[in-house]
Amino acid sequence: MIDGSHDTSHTEDRAAPRPKEEKRAFAEEKASLWRITFGPAIWAIHFVASYGATAVFCAKFGHGTESILPFRLSVGAATLLVLAAIAWLGWRSWQQWGYLQTGDYENALANEEDRTEFLGHAAFLLSIVSFVGVIYTGLPVLFVESCR
């Protein structure tokens, strides 16, 4: 250079992310964002379906002396399936967070790795909350013996 300045365009090009890397990183973060929403969404669907089905069942069939045990067992089985799905989501989120590998629970840097780990951490915590919520939503199945 004539004025003594250094040409940094070559080093900036090496440091800039390549289009394929950006697409891969975006795809991972997009999957992480979906994982954050699935736990609470599954909990909400379970809540509405359980209480809605119970209301319909009791309105249509709960007036007699019939046992509601088959209905209770079906709601209980659905609750166990939902808990298994949320546990799987939590496990996947735990793996994405990678706390045992890195020992880092803060993820304070604004780089790709910390963003991905943060999304895993957030999804893991939401999975725990959703798991507990589904347990509390399903508890009436254990105690309610009739529609009256």
Side-chain angles (χ1 to χ4, degrees), residues 2-148:
I2 297 173
D3 62 355
S5 63
H6 298 288
D7 183 18
T8 59
S9 63
H10 182 66
T11 57
E12 287 175 5
D13 289 341
R14 281 188 282 152
R18 294 185 170 75
K20 288 184 181 178
E21 292 174 8
E22 287 179 355
K23 286 182 181 179
R24 182 191 53 80
F26 180 72
E28 288 176 5
E29 289 178 6
K30 183 179 174 184
S32 298
L33 289 171
W34 279 110
R35 194 172 293 135
I36 284 176
T37 62
F38 282 152
I42 291 171
W43 173 22
I45 291 167
H46 176 265
F47 181 86
V48 170
S50 295
Y51 283 88
T54 302
V56 169
F57 180 84
C58 286
K60 297 255 184 199
F61 308 109
H63 300 297
T65 60
E66 303 90 23
S67 172
I68 65 166
L69 183 62
F71 179 75
R72 289 175 57 199
L73 290 175
S74 64
V75 172
T79 299
L80 291 176
L81 287 173
V82 166
L83 287 173
I86 292 174
W88 180 80
L89 283 169
W91 175 249
R92 292 288 310 231
S93 301
W94 173 263
Q95 289 176 328
Q96 179 183 342
W97 179 19
Y99 175 71
L100 294 179
Q101 289 82 17
T102 63
D104 183 18
Y105 60 88
E106 291 181 358
N107 309 115
L109 301 176
N111 59 28
E112 176 186 333
E113 180 182 355
D114 276 358
R115 280 193 308 269
T116 301
E117 289 176 0
F118 171 77
L119 291 172
H121 187 182
F124 176 70
L125 294 176
L126 283 169
S127 295
I128 291 172
V129 170
S130 300
F131 193 89
V132 172
V134 168
I135 289 173
Y136 278 104
T137 302
L139 275 178
V141 171
L142 295 175
F143 301 112
V144 175
E145 294 181 7
S146 72
C147 289
R148 294 181 192 178

